[in-house]
Amino acid sequence: MQGVVIPLSGLAVLLAVAALVTRRLARRRDAPSAPRGTLLVTVLGLGAGLLSTASAAVFTTYSLHPAASPQGCRVVAAEHAWFMSGGGAVYLLRGTTGLARRVGEYKTDDGDTPFAYGTADLTWDGEAAIVEGPFLWSFDGDAVAYRC
């Protein structure tokens, strides 16, 4: 089962653009234009959001793991790799849609992205996700495990 993950920065940019377009369409021609300061802040905010979204799209791989817990909890991994190092953040999602909650991070060696490559072995022990894989470990040295 494939999933679509939209980073929060991407959603924020889409909402900001929609708000600006709606405001522009609703504004009458004879109404005064917005102050330059407001326009500058809006353009800078949209620029920062677009830059954040572009970097997330280019340097981050989002994977929705197909295995769900008995109560329907799913794991979403946001992975990044650069030369010989990498890592990621793990999010837990209840059901198939909604906002995922960030629960932890992990690091990898050799630039591996285990969720994207399918080398991450995820097992559920009730509502606890246990992740194992080559070159994968947590920052504190404990097992890579997350509770829904």
Side-chain angles (χ1 to χ4, degrees):
M1 175 181 202
Q2 292 287 14
V4 175
V5 177
I6 301 172
L8 192 55
S9 59
L11 183 60
V13 168
L14 288 175
L15 290 175
V17 168
L20 286 175
V21 167
T22 302
R23 180 177 174 202
R24 185 75 167 162
L25 292 174
R27 195 166 65 184
R28 297 188 322 247
R29 286 189 183 268
D30 60 349
S33 62
R36 289 189 190 270
T38 303
L39 183 61
L40 179 63
V41 169
T42 302
V43 168
L44 288 175
L46 281 175
L50 287 171
L51 183 62
S52 173
T53 302
S55 69
V58 171
F59 297 114
T60 306
T61 302
Y62 294 91
S63 302
L64 178 64
H65 199 277
S69 74
Q71 293 185 4
C73 190
R74 307 275 302 271
V75 170
V76 177
E79 299 178 294
H80 54 84
W82 186 254
F83 291 113
M84 297 302 288
S85 67
V90 174
Y91 298 82
L92 292 178
L93 173 67
R94 289 243 176 232
T96 56
T97 60
L99 292 176
R101 153 178 79 90
R102 185 178 179 140
V103 293
E105 296 178 333
Y106 62 91
K107 56 186 173 178
T108 62
D109 197 7
D110 292 339
D112 191 28
T113 52
F115 283 90
Y117 291 144
T119 59
D121 184 27
L122 186 140
T123 56
W124 288 98
D125 182 13
E127 291 301 298
I130 301 155
V131 183
E132 296 176 322
F135 310 116
L136 182 133
W137 63 93
S138 68
F139 282 98
D140 57 8
D142 293 336
V144 182
Y146 309 103
R147 189 153 208 59
C148 232

